[in-house]
Amino acid sequence: MENDGIMCLKKLFHTSIVVLLFLQCFNPSLSSGFYNVSADFRAISHRVVTRCIESEREALIAFKQGLVDDYDLLSSWGREEHKQDCCQWLGVHCSNRTNHVTQLHLGWSYLDQAYALQQKGRPQNTYYYLQGKMMSPKLIKLKHLKYLDLSQINFNGSQVPDFIGSLSNLRHLDLSYASFGGQFPSQVGNLTHLQHLDLSFNHFANVEDLNSWMPHLSALTYLDLSGSNLSNVRDWMEAVNKLPKLTNLSLSDCSLPFPLTHSSTPFNKNSSRSLAHVDLSSNQLTSSILLWLSKYNASLVSLDLSYNPIKGGIPQSFSGLCNLQELGLINNTLSGQLSWLVQILMSACPDQNALKTLYLSSNHLSGSIPNLTNFSSLQELSLYGNQLSGTVPESIGHMSRLEIINLELHYQ
């Protein structure tokens, strides 16, 4: 049957050619029409298919004009015929369904990979690939934009434009290390669909109030404001508690003040109980922060409280951290017996302790090193800079997963 079908198609093809030749004898002009149709099909086959929406292409061109591109990484962006499709430009992603621009990846890590490919792997030590003279307000025409990463573009102390709060479909916004200055961009509170917000390590002026904008971001799972001056924001814990889906919190080097007592910090049914990764290092926090964090002992996976003036011991309420894998308490003023601290950390879940890294260096802990074999997953242990005495217990040699150990013992 298959061979019969092929024979029929061949006969039909030959018959068509004969008919066209016969007609040409009576009307020679038909041949030119026949060849014109063929030429049209050839032109269509070579024509560049442009998915990009014109208004969005012009918005991106205007944005590029506000940048200094010394490394020519945005050479694919342009108005030339072979560059018309902005969906093919470096860092630009469009919806396959609507052709609207939905993602703009111009962060350092993305551009670094592009530069490595451009230079065929030649290493380049540069802090900025792009510099910003201004951020074009035409960017607001990208109404379907969900992902915007401008991290580590040097905007030379300019202020984050107000229109950033009008990109209402944004789910991911990363402006970290972008050298923005001026007033803190509280207009991001209008981005109610936002799930990821990183404004870390810019040069914003003092932040006076988080509660005026942060609670609007109820979908937020990731928040990094590290390097922002929050020294006047004493209710920062209250604002964080109003983010019900938050899992990642980084407020490192924020000059966080002595917090309000936990009794005045609401923790109701709408509060986040899912915090997994918390970095509050390099602040002015006291031991009261441990009471607040103890409410998350079922969800915490990593916790860094290094370089804070936390005094005394760890409260009993801080036990039960069965899912904790990383704990950093470097350079505080913790005191008391190391064995007591270890006992608290493993008291509620002695048989399923997940701790992989334990950093307790540069504190005032005393006594001998206890048996740590219950920390069966431990890979890194740092205890130097304390007042520990005695000898290294032989049990440490039975900890098969331990890779790095940093000790300092005082012999009496």
Side-chain angles (χ1 to χ4, degrees):
M1 291 293 294
E2 183 178 352
N3 291 333
D4 292 343
I6 293 173
M7 290 298 296
C8 288
L9 287 173
K10 287 182 177 180
K11 290 180 179 179
L12 179 62
F13 176 76
H14 289 302
T15 302
S16 300
I17 295 297
V18 171
V19 170
L20 285 170
L21 290 173
F22 178 78
L23 291 173
Q24 185 182 352
C25 294
F26 293 93
N27 189 354
S29 64
L30 286 174
S31 61
S32 61
F34 175 74
Y35 289 116
N36 287 339
V37 170
S38 300
D40 288 342
F41 275 113
R42 286 196 300 271
I44 291 172
S45 66
H46 288 88
R47 187 178 300 162
V48 176
V49 178
T50 301
R51 294 171 53 206
C52 184
I53 295 170
E54 183 177 357
S55 61
E56 297 183 349
R57 177 173 63 247
E58 292 303 315
L60 290 170
I61 290 292
F63 178 71
K64 178 187 176 181
Q65 290 171 346
L67 299 174
V68 177
D69 182 14
D70 290 331
Y71 297 93
D72 204 27
L73 289 172
L74 303 186
S75 58
S76 60
W77 294 37
R79 290 192 176 93
E80 299 91 332
E81 183 178 356
H82 65 289
K83 297 180 180 180
Q84 284 291 305
D85 190 3
C86 68
C87 298
Q88 301 297 321
W89 294 353
L90 179 76
V92 179
H93 296 263
C94 297
S95 166
N96 290 328
R97 184 174 58 85
T98 66
N99 294 334
H100 284 295
V101 174
T102 57
Q103 299 184 33
L104 187 55
H105 297 254
L106 293 178
W108 186 90
S109 59
Y110 190 94
L111 294 181
D112 189 54
Q113 294 176 23
Y115 186 82
L117 290 173
Q118 176 180 299
Q119 301 299 314
K120 297 181 179 179
R122 190 178 71 185
Q124 171 69 24
N125 295 321
T126 183
Y127 194 73
Y128 296 112
Y129 283 105
L130 298 173
Q131 296 194 54
K133 296 180 293 185
M134 63 164 286
M135 191 184 294
S136 171
K138 289 188 177 181
L139 202 65
I140 198 174
K141 292 186 178 181
L142 305 181
K143 297 183 182 300
H144 299 267
L145 197 64
K146 294 183 178 180
Y147 185 108
L148 178 61
D149 183 356
L150 304 179
S151 59
Q152 222 159 312
I153 295 178
N154 185 4
F155 283 96
N156 297 291
S158 62
Q159 186 165 313
V160 176
D162 289 343
F163 72 76
I164 201 76
S166 299
L167 296 172
S168 57
N169 276 306
L170 277 182
R171 269 66 170 173
H172 182 114
L173 177 60
D174 190 344
L175 302 179
S176 61
Y177 293 92
S179 294
F180 281 111
Q183 187 176 356
F184 185 86
S186 57
Q187 62 269 27
V188 297
N190 296 329
L191 306 175
T192 54
H193 296 295
L194 210 58
Q195 298 170 6
H196 180 113
L197 176 61
D198 193 342
L199 300 174
S200 61
F201 296 106
N202 284 280
H203 310 296
F204 301 126
N206 289 7
V207 183
E208 299 294 335
D209 188 11
L210 295 180
N211 269 301
S212 65
W213 61 272
M214 189 183 290
H216 301 304
L217 305 179
S218 58
L220 210 61
T221 62
Y222 183 103
L223 175 64
D224 193 344
L225 301 181
S226 297
S228 303
N229 189 343
L230 303 181
S231 58
N232 295 324
V233 187
R234 290 196 170 273
D235 58 351
W236 62 269
M237 286 194 298
E238 180 181 345
V240 169
N241 279 343
K242 292 178 180 178
L243 301 176
K245 297 182 180 179
L246 194 67
T247 59
N248 292 59
L249 174 67
S250 294
L251 298 177
S252 176
D253 195 21
C254 286
S255 300
L256 289 176
F258 182 87
L260 297 174
T261 59
H262 67 287
S263 60
S264 62
T265 303
F267 198 84
N268 54 45
K269 63 181 181 179
N270 293 322
S271 297
S272 171
R273 294 182 182 270
S274 55
L275 274 181
H277 304 277
V278 177
D279 183 357
L280 300 176
S281 60
S282 301
N283 284 294
Q284 300 299 314
L285 302 174
T286 66
S287 56
S288 62
I289 192 66
L290 301 176
L291 297 175
W292 178 65
L293 288 168
S294 65
K295 300 169 183 175
Y296 300 99
N297 60 7
S299 60
L300 277 175
V301 173
S302 65
L303 174 62
D304 193 352
L305 293 171
S306 300
Y307 301 95
N308 278 288
I310 299 175
K311 297 180 180 180
I314 292 179
Q316 186 65 44
S317 60
F318 203 59
S319 64
L321 298 169
C322 298
N323 296 311
L324 192 67
Q325 297 179 15
E326 301 176 10
L327 177 59
L329 287 164
I330 298 172
N331 211 325
N332 281 274
T333 51
L334 295 173
S335 59
Q337 297 284 312
L338 174 61
S339 58
W340 173 244
L341 187 152
V342 168
Q343 183 179 344
I344 290 175
L345 289 178
M346 64 174 61
S347 60
C349 43
D351 299 323
Q352 53 178 338
N353 196 284
L355 205 62
K356 294 182 179 180
T357 61
L358 179 59
Y359 299 120
L360 298 174
S361 55
S362 300
N363 279 283
H364 298 162
L365 298 171
S366 58
S368 59
I369 299 175
N371 188 328
L372 300 172
T373 53
N374 278 348
F375 293 137
S376 56
S377 300
L378 200 64
Q379 298 174 1
E380 298 181 27
L381 173 65
S382 181
L383 298 173
Y384 76 90
N386 285 284
Q387 283 80 53
L388 301 176
S389 58
T391 60
V392 178
E394 292 184 6
S395 58
I396 283 186
H398 300 143
M399 300 175 69
S400 59
R401 298 187 181 181
L402 193 61
E403 299 173 355
I404 299 174
I405 183 169
N406 198 336
L407 304 177
E408 180 184 52
L409 299 175
H410 297 271
Y411 296 97
Q412 298 178 343

